[in-house]
Amino acid sequence: MTALIEAKNISKTFSRGGVFARRRIEAVKGINFSLEEDKPEIFAVIGESGSGKSTLARMILGIHKPSGGQLIFQGQDVDKIPRAGRAAFMARVQPIFQNPFEAFNPLKKLDFYLTMTATRFGGATSRAEADAASDQALRQVGLSLDEIKGRFPHELSGGQLQRVAIARALVSKPRLILADEPVSMVDASLRMSIVNLFGDLRDRLGLSIIYITHDLATAYYISDRLIIMRHGEVVEQGPAREVLSNPQHPYSQQLRAAVLSPSATLETITPTH
Amino acid sequence: MSSQPILRVENLKAHFRGTYFGVSREVRAVDDISFDVERNEIFGLAGESSSGKTTLIKTIAGLIRPPLELVGGRAQFAFLPDAPTIHQAAPAAVAAIRWRHLSYIMQGSMNVLNPLRRIGATFRDFALPHLGGSAGAFEATVTAHLERLRLDPSVLSAYPHELSGGMRQRVTIALATICKPEFIIADEPTTALDVIVQKDVLGMIRSIQREMGSSVLFVTHDMGVHATLTDKLGVMYAGRLVEVGATRDVFAAPRHPYTRHLIHSLPRIGDVTQRSGLPGTPPNLANPPPGCRFHPRCPLAMDICRTVQPAMIDVGPGHRASCHAISEGGS
Ligand SMILES: Nc1ncnc2c1ncn2[C@@H]1O[C@H](COP(=O)(O)OP(=O)(O)OP(=O)(O)O)[C@@H](O)[C@H]1O
Ligand SMILES: Nc1ncnc2c1ncn2[C@@H]1O[C@H](COP(=O)(O)OP(=O)(O)O)[C@@H](O)[C@H]1O
Ligand code: SF4
Ligand SMILES: [Mg+2]
Ligand SMILES: [Mg+2]
């Protein structure tokens, strides 16, 4: 039983503000979790805005160096991967970011991103191979290379862009996908088709997915386990359905109670004064 | 409530025109849309991704740049009586109404905060000229406003990249609402917030709106937010408005099959049945289906739907929908 990824008491401290008023922000404070190599799962991270979810994701991707603790990916300390091993690591751990609008440069055609991932991380050695890999990945998200080729990001809606972003992440055939709010920009129906796609990738390709979201309903629906974060700490964790059906921590209970539904009325939101 | 609406949209059409591989294409993202927004109301716009919501409100806000073109119709604000659309108004007149009369929270605008300016400086750049007062009073106003959005005043000394997505999104809402404008346009402004903060932010938007008697055009694909926040609701499908009415009425008795789908397809906690979403894909707006644009995905489609575009008809007081099944009495 080996870990695909293991977080050992990791933390991250930033300092922010002017020269005279520097503040230390403890964005992540000692988090532990582990995903097993031979047990692909969807691991949801939910919690307060500003609670350190994206910071955690950036540490896993090796973008931020942890201030304390260790992240081990397939036996290797992410922080100590030599330059030569970076590309191989990045092929195995692929991100899907919070916002489709910031994921793509408006001046670059969308197929460029797929081609680039296919050649840099996916082992494609010719245009035809790169195109085939791109098309295959796009088809997994309900698009095709024909539809995307030559188009710029602004020609697609947010939902379409997010599907391209997921396809791009699939091109290098990763083991772990880090999806930071991948569905927040898209409608309920597309949201369901994207999380169903995640479930399918888990079951069919044995991919593990760390799914950061504010959408409790899809976290409940698709994820196997989850953690709930607040102020840089995990306040509750466990099997997703168990935790969300019967939250124990007061913050989790508040979160569960704040979900809006079509039966909610104007009176249920209290104006702040 | 005054009888004259603050915004009247009439037969508005805006298309993307471009040449792709030598073939000219026209994406009819806003196709013949009409509705009114009254003073002192929150008008919600719903619809799936790529149905044209953003394009519609960009057109209303006058942000029309190639390849987007205004093809016809009007979108007239009461405070700009001489211009059929903001796009056709004099630049000086448009500058005069910004912030105080009209503010616009663009989709994804949290990512276009000036990366080189601290948040506090951005507030001074935009809001100080309109609010005036001493530096101390201004700072107190800004701090109090941020607190309503659950933001610590320390964000004022941060650069945008030092804030989380949800914090930046609240900063853009704060910027757009601090001058308490008469009309606020907001495109998916709460997508990056956790549900507790989202509830507070919606509460704040509503209390500002009620305090000031302002109007809000609020775009979101999230039907839970519409049910909670909006007074009226317009539903878009493939560049067209298919249903409009009081939010309460639309939720209680949706008349268009697409609206019914939107309301009933909401995933809920506790529900693990496999939800497949709507069959088929959103139509290609460069070549939309003839007749009713919804017919390839509609469970009620009849022969007439494949050829004849259904007209908007009254289905109740202030409630309109466009579907052949209604006129046939089949709904
Ligand atoms: N580069 C940075 N420099 C300084 N502070 C930072 C930086 N990145 C994040 N922070 C701070 O760390 C905290 C956690 O931010 P993070 O982006 O991880 O939150 P999050 O949980 O992803 O929130 P959201 O749900 O709003 O996206 C915040 O207080 C934020 O201001
Ligand atoms: N700059 C553009 N050029 C061509 N087509 C565009 C452009 N921007 C958006 N579109 C198209 O217009 C349609 C409506 O998009 P949009 O208004 O963003 O939808 P929504 O906001 O409802 O998700 C989509 O088909 C999209 O691909
Ligand atoms: S007009 Fe026909 S196809 Fe269109 S929504 Fe009504 S029944 Fe369905
Ligand atoms: Mg985040
Ligand atoms: Mg949009």
Side-chain angles (χ1 to χ4, degrees):
Chain A
M1 195 177 73
T2 52
L4 177 64
I5 181 134
E6 188 177 6
K8 290 183 176 166
N9 202 27
I10 52 164
S11 58
K12 179 72 191 174
T13 307
F14 293 106
S15 73
R16 196 170 88 190
V19 208
F20 301 110
R22 282 206 95 62
R23 278 167 51 106
R24 278 163 52 84
I25 312 271
E26 291 183 76
V28 173
K29 307 179 201 168
I31 287 188
N32 295 288
F33 65 86
S34 138
L35 306 187
E36 299 308 322
E37 180 95 63
D38 49 11
K39 226 172 98 196
E41 67 174 314
I42 298 179
F43 185 78
V45 181
I46 62 181
E48 194 172 35
S49 171
S51 62
K53 303 179 298 297
S54 299
T55 304
L56 177 65
R58 289 194 206 101
M59 288 193 284
I60 295 173
L61 290 165
I63 299 171
H64 284 328
K65 207 176 148 67
S67 315
Q70 271 186 315
L71 264 167
I72 313 289
F73 181 79
Q74 293 183 323
Q76 197 173 21
D77 188 331
V78 171
D79 206 32
K80 300 205 170 69
I81 294 173
R83 200 171 260 280
R86 281 308 294 166
F89 170 72
M90 286 165 76
R92 285 174 293 164
V93 183
Q94 279 285 316
I96 299 169
F97 277 114
Q98 188 155 7
N99 190 320
F101 296 90
E102 75 188 350
F104 298 106
N105 177 334
L107 300 176
K108 290 212 165 83
K109 292 178 182 159
L110 288 166
D111 44 313
F112 162 83
Y113 290 92
L114 292 133
T115 308
M116 191 187 71
T117 309
T119 45
R120 266 176 63 188
F121 308 122
T125 53
S126 68
R127 179 87 220 177
E129 271 178 43
D131 280 358
S134 305
D135 191 53
Q136 192 193 357
L138 283 163
R139 284 181 189 281
Q140 281 167 335
V141 300
L143 294 166
S144 68
L145 189 58
D146 279 348
E147 290 171 72
I148 294 307
K149 218 176 175 119
R151 296 188 79 181
F152 289 98
H154 67 261
E155 293 171 33
L156 303 185
S157 69
Q160 292 169 316
L161 274 183
Q162 196 56 312
R163 286 189 282 163
V164 177
I166 295 171
R168 191 215 51 79
L170 295 176
V171 165
S172 71
K173 308 216 155 56
R175 287 300 321 274
L176 178 65
I177 291 221
L178 243 143
D180 192 352
E181 294 190 40
V183 299
S184 48
M185 289 291 184
V186 305
D187 63 75
S189 141
L190 199 47
R191 206 174 262 212
M192 290 314 283
S193 68
I194 287 170
V195 298
N196 279 333
L197 173 65
F198 284 169
D200 184 47
L201 298 174
R202 169 195 60 197
D203 301 341
R204 210 160 33 88
L205 308 178
L207 264 176
S208 280
I209 297 170
I210 296 182
Y211 173 43
I212 301 176
T213 188
H214 291 302
D215 181 13
L216 272 54
T218 53
Y220 179 96
Y221 170 78
I222 203 70
S223 54
D224 301 291
R225 286 189 299 155
L226 60 73
I227 58 177
I228 300 181
M229 287 182 68
R230 188 182 200 201
H231 301 327
E233 286 167 333
V234 173
V235 297
E236 189 161 350
Q237 60 186 313
R241 286 175 190 169
E242 213 167 279
V243 172
L244 286 174
S245 319
N246 189 15
Q248 297 300 310
H249 190 278
Y251 176 71
S252 323
Q253 291 168 351
Q254 272 180 36
L255 200 61
R256 174 71 179 76
V259 175
L260 301 175
S261 78
S263 53
T265 61
L266 285 173
E267 283 63 45
T268 58
I269 52 173
T270 20
T272 48
H273 284 290
Chain B
M1 195 183 287
S2 116
S3 56
Q4 194 209 11
I6 187 158
L7 169 67
R8 166 153 287 174
V9 179
E10 247 172 1
N11 304 112
L12 194 66
K13 288 188 183 180
H15 300 173
F16 292 100
R17 286 192 172 136
T19 315
Y20 301 88
F21 304 109
V23 183
S24 66
R25 258 171 44 124
E26 191 171 61
V27 175
R28 286 182 261 163
V30 175
D31 204 2
D32 205 3
I33 288 187
S34 306
F35 64 93
D36 288 345
V37 179
E38 306 295 337
R39 288 182 198 273
N40 195 16
E41 80 176 5
I42 304 185
F43 188 102
L45 262 183
E48 67 186 337
S49 304
S50 80
S51 56
K53 304 180 297 296
T54 297
T55 313
L56 171 61
I57 64 166
K58 273 188 184 164
T59 309
I60 292 171
L63 293 178
I64 303 174
R65 302 214 172 82
L68 184 61
E69 284 177 33
L70 180 66
V71 175
R74 51 210 286 137
Q76 187 155 31
F77 283 99
F79 46 75
L80 263 182
D82 300 328
T85 65
I86 292 192
H87 187 56
Q88 285 145 289
V94 177
I97 58 152
R98 278 289 302 204
W99 303 100
R100 266 298 188 193
H101 291 279
L102 178 67
S103 74
Y104 179 21
I105 307 169
M106 281 187 289
Q107 184 165 21
S109 55
M110 61 199 198
N111 301 307
V112 297
L113 287 167
N114 186 338
L116 303 175
R117 306 274 289 155
R118 294 184 199 274
I119 303 299
T122 301
F123 270 93
R124 282 193 296 280
D125 295 348
F126 292 111
L128 188 55
H130 299 278
L131 291 177
S134 69
F138 178 71
E139 181 151 355
T141 308
V142 173
T143 304
H145 197 63
L146 290 174
E147 270 163 9
R148 288 177 91 174
L149 292 163
R150 296 256 232 121
L151 282 172
D152 188 275
S154 72
V155 301
L156 290 170
S157 62
Y159 288 100
H161 78 269
E162 295 176 324
L163 301 179
S164 80
M167 293 161 94
R168 275 180 284 137
Q169 194 166 46
R170 280 175 281 161
V171 166
T172 62
I173 296 172
L175 276 166
T177 49
I178 191 161
C179 300
K180 307 213 158 106
E182 211 177 334
F183 200 103
I184 299 167
I185 297 178
D187 194 356
E188 313 260 13
T190 61
T191 46
L193 304 179
D194 70 76
V195 286
I196 296 175
V197 170
Q198 169 173 272
K199 220 165 160 173
D200 285 351
V201 167
L202 296 177
M204 192 244 23
I205 291 175
R206 202 169 108 247
S207 50
I208 287 193
Q209 181 269 323
R210 295 289 195 254
E211 277 160 37
M212 307 304 299
S214 356
S215 305
V216 182
L217 181 54
F218 195 101
V219 178
T220 175
H221 59 261
D222 186 335
M223 296 303 279
V225 172
H226 282 297
T228 312
L229 180 75
T230 63
D231 301 309
K232 294 236 183 84
L233 179 62
V235 178
M236 282 187 77
Y237 184 79
R240 290 182 157 264
L241 196 65
V242 296
E243 183 157 0
V244 63
T247 306
R248 201 179 304 117
D249 298 342
V250 174
F251 272 91
R255 300 303 298 274
H256 195 282
Y258 178 62
T259 314
R260 277 202 286 275
H261 161 79
L262 279 184
I263 292 171
H264 296 137
S265 70
L266 275 165
R268 287 183 184 80
I269 299 175
D271 182 354
V272 294
T273 51
Q274 174 93 8
R275 288 172 182 276
S276 48
L278 207 56
T281 51
N284 175 1
L285 296 182
N287 183 19
C292 173
R293 289 185 179 180
F294 190 53
H295 85 249
R297 303 168 85 183
C298 180
L300 304 180
M302 307 166 278
D303 281 345
I304 185 177
C305 304
R306 286 175 253 279
T307 50
V308 181
Q309 170 69 49
M312 265 285 191
I313 57 168
D314 287 328
V315 295
H319 189 174
R320 293 181 294 143
S322 69
C323 169
H324 292 302
I326 303 171
S327 27
E328 301 276 306
S331 183

